[in-house]
Amino acid sequence: MKPLIYNLGRLELETVCAEHDQPRFRAGQIWRWLYVQRVTEWAAMRNLPASLRRALAESFLLPEPEPLATQGKPDETRKLLIGLRDGECVEAVMIPAADRRTLCLSSQVGCRFHCAFCASGQGGYQRQLEAGEIVQQVMSACMLWGDRPTHIVYMGVGEPFDNYDAVLTSVRTLNNGDGLGIGARRITISTCGVVPGIERLAEESIQVELSVSLHASSDAVRTALMPVNKTWPIDTLLAACRAYAERTGRIITFEYTLIRDVNDSEADAHALARRLANLPCRVNLIPLSDVPEFEGKPSSPAAADLFIRALAEQHINATLRASKGSGLEAACGQLRAKHR
Ligand code: SAH
């Protein structure tokens, strides 16, 4: 199977051009055809020598950006199901708002982490996504919108830090100013708490946003919800977050899904505030999306209100995110699960 052309970073594309005895500016031309004009055929790359076009077509696949399926209406939250060349498929979700178009990307086919409330891991784990397959999700969305997304979140199926290199390569491609040019600060990587990934990201010279899915303030509750907590318990995780914030000077967002009578009491809020004291962060409270396999229920609006107020009293900045996709089974992995 030919590799996807989208797998190549900007410098790797220069290497390929050099291997074909082509000057370096050819890589810039190809890059613009791919990410500015967003052509879907080699023949459309008109300013390249025919011999180079042929050589590229023989070595690389330029995938069909047409999704396998879509769900939802234009201008509303929409899901794309993207077919991969081995027959697997992945989901991406577009979330439009007044001033932005956010695209939520998958980083793996399935997930190994099995959070109790998440649909992604329930079909098991199939394989890693290649960098190009992550980029392909964006190219598909570009075609549907006729424009590029303004914001990217790695919050679809999979754990980005369990596929670190491919995710970072895709981030650099999306960010590259000669192509899509999506600002690093508009790209959010979300992790269930894979500490080595947080440590590596702290050393990258890229200003992406980091989101950490916390969901509990005690190890007992977090381990019950998120088995990953056995490997990296809360103290270990938050120590890595503190080091990250110090090293990068950046604020971390903690995701916290309010689940009735599980993690939503005032005492939970106080425990959370103690854990996060003096850590440059904000808390994003997410209403629980209904996942049939999980018996937890969303918190009542009154409980959510009390929770936010308790955090605010302890000077923790928290916002309640409106759920955008519940009518759409937008919880991670649900469209793909259905297709399978
Ligand atoms: N593996 C990464 C990214 C994918 S999940 C991570 O865990 O962060 C993206 C976010 O959606 C995470 O914060 C996750 O905890 C949350 N999530 C998953 N299932 C959910 C559900 N049923 N309701 C609300 N949030 C959910």
Side-chain angles (χ1 to χ4, degrees), residues 25 48-49 51-52 64 70-71 93 102 112 115 121 135 149 155 164 183 193-194 221-222 244 257 268 307 336:
F25 73 83
L48 302 187
S51 60
L52 177 61
E64 185 56 55
T70 61
Q71 210 179 26
V93 183
T102 303
R112 298 197 244 239
C115 298
V135 172
M155 294 189 181
Y164 188 95
V194 176
V221 175
R222 191 163 190 269
Y244 175 91
T257 304
D268 290 316
F307 199 93
R336 184 171 149 268

Side-chain angles (χ1 to χ4, degrees), residues 43-66:
M45 300 187 179
R46 290 188 311 271
N47 55 2
L48 302 187
S51 60
L52 177 61
R53 272 189 318 226
R54 259 197 315 277
L56 289 172
E58 270 165 27
S59 309
F60 297 100
L61 183 71
L62 183 53
E64 185 56 55
E66 188 78 47

Side-chain angles (χ1 to χ4, degrees), residues 104 107 111 113 115 117-120 154-160 190-193 211-215 226 255-257 286-291 294 321 331-332:
C104 177
S107 54
C111 186
F113 288 84
C115 298
F117 47 80
C118 181
S120 295
Y154 286 79
M155 294 189 181
V157 174
E159 165 52 43
S190 181
T191 179
C192 63
S211 225
V212 174
S213 302
L214 193 57
H215 301 310
M226 305 177 72
E255 307 287 331
Y256 194 106
T257 304
I286 324 169
L288 180 70
S289 301
D290 190 38
V291 171
F294 180 59
R321 185 163 85 194
C332 311

Side-chain angles (χ1 to χ4, degrees), residues 123-139:
Y125 167 83
Q126 273 70 45
R127 67 168 173 87
Q128 296 289 21
L129 283 178
E130 297 167 10
E133 294 171 325
I134 301 174
V135 172
Q136 188 184 345
Q137 298 170 48
V138 181
M139 303 317 288

Side-chain angles (χ1 to χ4, degrees), residues 11 13 17 33 55 71 79 91 99-100 109 144 155-156 174 176 186 197 260 290 293 308 323 332:
L11 288 176
L13 199 52
C17 288
W33 284 120
Q71 210 179 26
K79 289 192 134 194
E91 280 179 32
D99 57 341
R100 56 175 71 184
V109 186
L144 269 188
M155 294 189 181
L174 303 180
N176 185 292
R186 295 171 167 211
R260 189 184 302 172
D290 190 38
E293 295 82 354
I308 292 197
S323 179
C332 311

Side-chain angles (χ1 to χ4, degrees), residues 185 201-202 204 206-209 241-252 279-282:
R185 292 186 180 139
L201 189 67
E204 303 279 351
I206 190 155
Q207 304 237 300
V208 290
E209 298 289 330
C241 290
R242 281 180 200 278
Y244 175 91
E246 257 169 49
R247 179 91 173 91
T248 63
R250 304 194 61 77
I251 290 180
I252 294 176
L279 207 174
C281 68
R282 65 175 83 85

Side-chain angles (χ1 to χ4, degrees), residues 295-308:
E295 56 211 22
K297 294 278 167 271
S299 298
S300 68
D305 216 54
L306 270 181
F307 199 93
I308 292 197

